[in-house]
Each structure stands twice: as structure tokens, then as C-alpha cells.
Amino acid sequence: MKKLYSLVAYLVCGLVAVQAGTMVWAHSGMFQWVAAGGVLDKAAIESSDSLTFDGVQGFMIHGMNGMMVIPSVAVVLLVLSFFAKVPHGVAWAIGVAVLVALQVALGLLGHEFTISGLFHGVNALVLFTVALLAGLRARG
Amino acid sequence: MAEARLRWLLPLGLSLAVLVPLGVLWQRSLIPGSLSVLDMGVPDFGTGTVFGASAHDHHGEAGTSVTDLVDAPNRPADVTVDLRADAAQLEIAGRPVQGFTVNGTSPGPTIRAQQGQLVEVRFTNGSVPGGATLHWHGVDVPNAMDGVAGVTQDAVDVGHSFTYRFVASRAGTYWYHSHQVSHRQVIGGLLGALVVSPAGDATPSETGDVVAIAHTYAGFRTINGQAGDLRVAAAPGDRVRVRVVNTDNATLPLWADQPVTLAALDGSEVNRPTPLTGVMVGVAAGGRADLLVDVPAAGAARVQLSKSTAVIVGADGVEPPPPSQPSSWLDLLSYGSPLATTLDPTRPDRSFSYRMTQQPGFVRGRPGVWWAINGQLYPQLPMFMVRQGELVAVHFDNQTTETHPMHLHGHHLLVLARNHQPASGSPWWTDSLDVLPGENYDVVFWATNPGLWMDHCHNLDHAKDGMITHLAYEGVTTPFRLGGDHLNEPE
Ligand SMILES: [Cu+2]
């Protein structure tokens, strides 16, 4: 059970890394597309399903991974923590869950407050670190 | 022994405490494969009288079926049009784009009618997979002609037809688009314009009349399906009405290199409009703006539809430079002059709250942060219940981080106030109202068009994510179902 707890904690780390990667991947593709004549305005963003540039999937993966996959994995970690008897394992799992919730909130608030995006990036590193420490803890 | 049991019971209990509420929320968010819209949502009678929930509890009950809500079934049509929709590869700015055509082009043909004429459109689905419909955006059609798959008709399958008939009772600029899987079909170009001119020639000062459909295909902005600028031939001194239709999911900003007049909004004429300089006109998603453009002596006027496309009205070969983009928006709350009206909007029979927030939860079994209306997620949304003849007030309150262009089918909204500041300009009639983050609007409408009507966000991606409610008249039922054999999916 401890091993599973630590694996799931590492999974959170891996998924956070995917978040960082997909965002930059999508932006790289987007800027090349704009350079080639694509125009990015609100109408284009709001029909992002129809955009076809290389890397556009990055935005979709970032959204799905961040809003659905990572929160689900955080819940799994929390449930495992009840059984795993990792020292302070429940507290670490709650920490991960709270940081995930904060991260989603910061991401969405970024649509309204730019500064929120700054904290979204920083909080990603905090989340990564806490998940990593939780995983290391379970290894004793 | 007891201790050992506790060692298992405690984690198990904690797990259940976490998982059971999540499971319940998840289960509640699932949509059956076939569902009547009348079984969706929770009846909301607002501040008005609660009537027998006959519309909601419709099983085996005699009511009016949406299919009976038609215009003059025996009257011969004045305007007859055949429209055929196909899936097709479009060419936009020299690039192939997968989309849809109507009669071979996207946008489809502009339908023109005179006020009071009966329009009959025979719609055939040539090759649109999953079916298609036509919705008449902004036209107060009878409910059976509203074109909402699963609510007022079944999606028209490939090889089948449906005939739409309605009286074009109000002059103005409108548009038609599919209301089956609309977040794909509309974005892909299954749309066109409908122009209803006033009975008799009421606008002799106008020498030209042109439609400019703004649509973004796969990230490429177009006017009437062409990237770049739309040229309209006109001589100095001419006055041309440019009917801008925003078919995208986001607000379209308009501005010009000289004063232009906003003559009509969403098909309703503005009372005593004044020429505009130094401001942008924001056209909500789904909305229309008629601009009067006077051709200057210099030869041509330029109207920007966003930064990337423009309508150039004037002599061929004259190329006015793009004007710089103004930083402020026209405030429609105070534009034009008030008009004495016989309709008193101040004593509604019923008032509804339409509060938009974002909250974590499940929609269609998917976890995430979703649009909520009055604190509830799709499909537990309010079903706004009204009786025919009532004056109905709605308070839109956008507490989310994004703009929502609110579109009520079959009715026109009259804006009374924004953020509690009363409207002071021309009567502001709209069918596509942009509610910005942090804004609230007080609007009214007269419930004089019985049926089951969608009342949704016209950012079609938001609609797909559950930003969809309905307005239900007392006693109206529908034989159609969401999902089901025709895979009706109006969003
Ligand atoms: Cu919306």
C-alpha cells in the first residue's frame, strides 16, 4: 500500500510535468502559426476545436489533464493515504489535494486577472515538490 | 480485536466520506441516452404564481404539442427557398478547412423577404453526418419552426428533408444556422443570413444594402466566406447599409475611419441614432449590427470587423488605410433617444434570476470546473416556467470570469438596466446580449410566443459544457427527445 501511495504521488509529479510541457509546446506551435498568417483573436480562441496548428492539442491536453485527470489522481492519493500508514501521509495527501484545487482556481482566475497566471506557474512547482516529498516519505 | 477492526473501519469510513459524495455528484450528472427536455432541470416559477406543473409532468397529459405551434398552415408561401446542407472541404485563405456548405457555399445563400411575407424553406440534409437542422436566429418563429434538435424537431438525417414556414413579422437582419451539434456545425459554417426589409420602402435615403457575415473558419477570419476585405462598390455621397452578422463565439468589435451610424441592433431599429466616432461597436456572438456608411468625397470608407478584416465601401481601387483601433466601446445603454411606448415594462408578472458562476463538479460524468446557473450544474438547471401573455423579467448576473452572450429563442429582450443603472437611450431590444464578467442586466420580455424555447449562452462551446436552460410555457409538450434514435444533440 505504501508503494502504491508513493507511485501515485510520483504520478502527480509526472502529470504536473506534462502540464508544463504541453503549455509551452502549444505556445510554440501557436506563435509559428501566427507568424504564418494565422490571426489569434477572441473568436479564434473561442473556437479552438477548429484550430489545426501543430501543438494545438497541447491546450486541450492541458485543460483535460488539469481539470479532470490530476484532480482525480489527487483524490486517489487521498483515499490511499487512509490505508497506507505513511507517516503524516494523510496530511501530505491533503496538501496535494489543496494545492491541486488552488492550481485549478488560479488557472481559471487567470482569465480575469493576469497576475493569477504568475502564481499558477509558481504553484505548479510547489505542487510538484509536495507530491515528490509525499512520494519520498512513503519510501521511508 | 476491536482495535484491529477499527484499523480497517476508520480508513474505510474516511474513504467512503470522500468517495460517496463524489459518486453521487457523478451519478447525478449523467444524461440518459434518451431524455425529454421536459424531464430535464427543475421547474422555476420565479416570483410568479406556481401553476399545475402540467408542462413538466407531461406524461399522458393532454397539452399543446410543439408540433402544433405553426404559422398559417394553409397560407401559400410568398418566398420559397430550397436549402441543402453538406459536409465539405472549404478553401479559406488558400487553405483546406473541413466544414459545411449550404447550397454549395459557406455561408449559404442570403434569404431576402419583405416584412409580412410567409417564408418557406425546404431544408435537405445532403451529407451532414449525425443530422442537421436550421434555427432562425433572432426571428420570433412559431415554436415548431425553431429548429432545435430534440426539442422542436428531430435532427434531419442524411437524405431527409424538413420544411420551415414562418411569417417574417419584423424587418431586420437575422441569420440561420444548424442547431444540431451546433458547436461543430456552426463553427464549420452551416449558416447564412436572412434579411427582412420593411414593408414598403421605408428607407429611401439608403442607396445600398449589403450583408457582411463575419465568420472565423479554423482560426481564419472571413467576411462572407472570403478572407481579407469585402469591397462594396458605391459612389461618393451614397449611403450604404452594412448588415454585420457575428456568427462566431466571441464579441466582434467594429470601428470605422469616419463617422458611421448604428441603425439597427439584432434586427431592431435604433431610435434616433447618432454618428459614432472614436468608439468600437461590440456585436455579441450571434448578434447583428446594421451600420449606415456614408461614402466620403475621398472615395471610400473603411469599416473594420476586428483588426483582420474590413468592409470597404466606395470606388474601386481606393484603398483607405486601416484606422487605429479605438480603446473604448459604444455604450448601448445610452445610445439613441428614448421612445414613448405603449408597453409598460415596469410591472412584471414574474421575475427570474439567472446567476452564472463557475463551480467544481461533474457534467456528463466528467469532472471539472463548470458553468453553473443559480448554483446548479447541467442538467439540474432551472426550467423557467411562464404563462402566455405574461410580462417576464430576468436578472442576468455574470459572476464568472468570461463573457456570456445570452440568447433567448423566439423572443426579444428589452434591456432595462445594467448594474442597476437604468437604460437612457433608444429602447434596446436584443436577442443576443453580451453579459461581461461582473456585470448584471435587468431585462424583460413579453411571453406571447408559446412553446419550449432554449435560453442559452451563444458561446457554443459554453453551451456544449452545459450553459443551457429552457423557457417552458404552461401546458406545452414535446414528442421529441434529446439523444434517442436521431441522436439529437442541440448543443
Ligand atoms: Cu457562455
Side-chain angles (χ1 to χ4, degrees):
Chain A
M1 203 59 108
K2 270 189 183 166
K3 193 161 191 183
L4 197 57
Y5 177 96
S6 104
L7 278 176
V8 172
Y10 294 152
L11 180 60
V12 173
C13 294
L15 291 171
V16 171
V18 167
Q19 291 300 84
T22 48
M23 213 52 192
V24 181
W25 178 47
H27 273 98
S28 303
M30 190 180 78
F31 285 117
Q32 290 173 50
W33 176 75
V34 168
V39 175
L40 197 77
D41 60 9
K42 184 78 172 137
I45 291 171
E46 291 298 340
S47 59
S48 56
D49 283 3
S50 69
L51 297 179
T52 50
F53 58 81
D54 193 29
V56 71
Q57 305 89 336
F59 288 120
M60 211 181 65
I61 295 170
H62 190 90
M64 304 256 281
N65 196 32
M67 302 255 274
M68 301 183 193
V69 180
I70 297 179
S72 306
V73 174
V75 170
V76 170
L77 184 70
L78 183 61
V79 169
L80 283 173
S81 75
F82 300 144
F83 298 95
K85 298 188 196 73
V86 175
H88 304 293
V90 176
W92 283 99
I94 289 175
V96 167
V98 168
L99 287 169
V100 167
L102 178 65
Q103 187 66 343
V104 172
L106 287 172
L108 291 171
L109 282 172
H111 293 230
E112 202 173 6
F113 308 104
T114 310
I115 192 73
S116 185
L118 187 74
F119 292 118
H120 184 74
V122 173
N123 189 56
L125 293 180
V126 177
L127 171 58
F128 184 94
T129 309
V130 169
L132 184 67
L133 289 176
L136 288 172
R137 211 139 251 268
R139 286 177 31 170
Chain B
M1 187 65 194
E3 208 176 298
R5 198 180 297 161
L6 191 66
R7 217 176 290 157
W8 276 105
L9 280 181
L10 186 64
L12 202 65
L14 286 171
S15 302
L16 290 177
V18 171
L19 294 176
V20 167
L22 288 175
V24 168
L25 287 175
W26 175 79
Q27 205 273 334
R28 265 165 54 101
S29 79
L30 299 177
I31 312 290
S34 169
L35 171 73
S36 171
V37 70
L38 292 168
D39 291 329
M40 204 175 82
V42 181
D44 181 344
F45 294 90
T47 57
T49 43
V50 176
F51 42 83
S54 59
H56 199 71
D57 176 27
H58 56 101
H59 303 285
E61 190 135 348
T64 308
S65 168
V66 296
T67 54
D68 295 331
L69 297 166
V70 296
D71 269 348
N74 298 318
R75 180 178 155 187
D78 303 299
V79 177
T80 312
V81 185
D82 281 300
L83 295 181
R84 177 195 154 109
D86 284 288
Q89 182 169 299
L90 313 172
E91 195 187 291
I92 304 297
R95 296 166 174 85
V97 171
Q98 278 309 317
F100 302 96
T101 57
V102 182
N103 289 3
T105 60
S106 178
T110 294
I111 300 172
R112 286 189 180 263
Q114 287 235 321
Q115 190 174 5
Q117 286 186 322
L118 195 139
V119 179
E120 183 173 297
V121 177
R122 200 178 120 94
F123 174 64
T124 304
N125 180 355
S127 58
V128 180
T133 65
L134 290 184
H135 165 64
W136 306 90
H137 190 115
V139 186
D140 297 344
V141 297
N143 196 218
M145 302 295 137
D146 197 39
V148 178
V151 179
T152 63
Q153 68 172 99
D154 282 322
V156 180
D157 293 327
V158 174
H160 289 76
S161 295
F162 186 96
T163 300
Y164 295 94
R165 284 169 54 90
F166 56 89
V167 175
S169 52
R170 295 168 75 127
T173 309
Y174 306 98
W175 62 299
Y176 59 85
H177 65 75
S178 183
H179 226 303
Q180 160 78 345
V181 199
S182 54
H183 75 275
R184 278 204 210 98
Q185 295 189 4
V186 180
I187 300 296
L190 209 172
L191 55 92
L194 165 67
V195 173
V196 181
S197 48
D201 190 13
T203 50
S205 68
E206 292 167 27
T207 51
D209 186 316
V210 61
V211 170
I213 300 175
H215 191 73
T216 302
Y217 296 89
F220 292 94
R221 269 205 179 275
T222 64
I223 301 178
N224 297 346
Q226 304 293 316
D229 302 334
L230 172 71
R231 297 219 57 127
V232 181
D238 280 358
R239 166 167 271 204
V240 176
R241 181 178 284 243
V242 179
R243 301 173 182 269
V244 177
V245 184
N246 180 10
T247 64
D248 284 325
N249 276 347
T251 309
L252 173 68
L254 311 179
W255 69 96
D257 63 355
Q258 56 153 11
V260 291
T261 303
L262 177 61
L265 192 81
D266 291 354
S268 296
E269 295 286 306
V270 175
N271 185 45
R272 299 172 148 272
T274 47
L276 301 167
T277 35
V279 290
M280 293 183 288
V281 176
V283 188
R288 288 85 58 213
D290 293 11
L291 296 178
L292 296 182
V293 180
D294 294 303
V295 181
R302 185 182 184 105
V303 181
Q304 292 293 137
L305 277 60
S306 87
K307 206 140 194 159
S308 21
T309 54
V311 178
I312 298 171
V313 186
D316 262 353
V318 183
E319 187 75 43
S324 62
Q325 184 169 4
S327 55
S328 58
W329 298 89
L330 169 67
D331 187 357
L332 291 164
L333 207 59
S334 55
Y335 185 59
S337 300
L339 191 62
T341 163
T342 51
L343 299 165
D344 177 11
T346 56
R347 291 163 160 263
D349 299 297
R350 206 176 278 284
S351 299
F352 291 112
S353 160
Y354 201 114
R355 188 169 52 87
M356 299 168 254
T357 53
Q358 280 156 293
Q359 69 186 45
F362 298 86
V363 166
R364 297 178 219 267
R366 295 176 301 159
V369 178
W370 305 101
W371 309 117
I373 294 165
N374 293 347
Q376 297 291 318
L377 296 180
Y378 182 90
Q380 268 84 31
L381 298 178
M383 166 81 82
F384 299 107
M385 309 295 294
V386 298
R387 271 184 165 149
Q388 187 164 1
E390 289 181 334
L391 171 62
V392 181
V394 181
H395 182 73
F396 289 113
D397 186 0
N398 182 357
Q399 301 177 1
T400 76
T401 58
E402 292 190 37
T403 297
H404 301 294
M406 300 313 298
H407 175 50
L408 170 61
H409 289 206
H411 300 74
H412 280 74
L413 304 173
L414 177 63
V415 176
L416 299 185
R418 181 184 57 226
N419 298 343
H420 308 290
Q421 184 193 344
S424 56
S426 163
W428 178 4
W429 290 97
T430 175
D431 52 61
S432 308
L433 176 65
D434 256 351
V435 186
L436 272 56
E439 280 185 348
N440 64 73
Y441 275 91
D442 284 293
V443 305
V444 290
F445 65 89
W446 279 267
T448 51
N449 195 6
L452 298 171
W453 303 99
M454 270 187 146
D455 184 4
H456 68 105
C457 176
H458 216 277
N459 181 329
L460 300 171
D461 281 342
H462 293 183
K464 175 196 67 178
D465 287 341
M467 210 164 200
I468 285 214
T469 61
H470 293 85
L471 174 76
Y473 278 65
E474 181 184 27
V476 177
T477 66
T478 178
F480 305 108
R481 298 180 77 84
L482 302 166
D485 294 340
H486 293 269
L487 301 173
N488 295 320
E489 200 186 316
E491 308 85 22

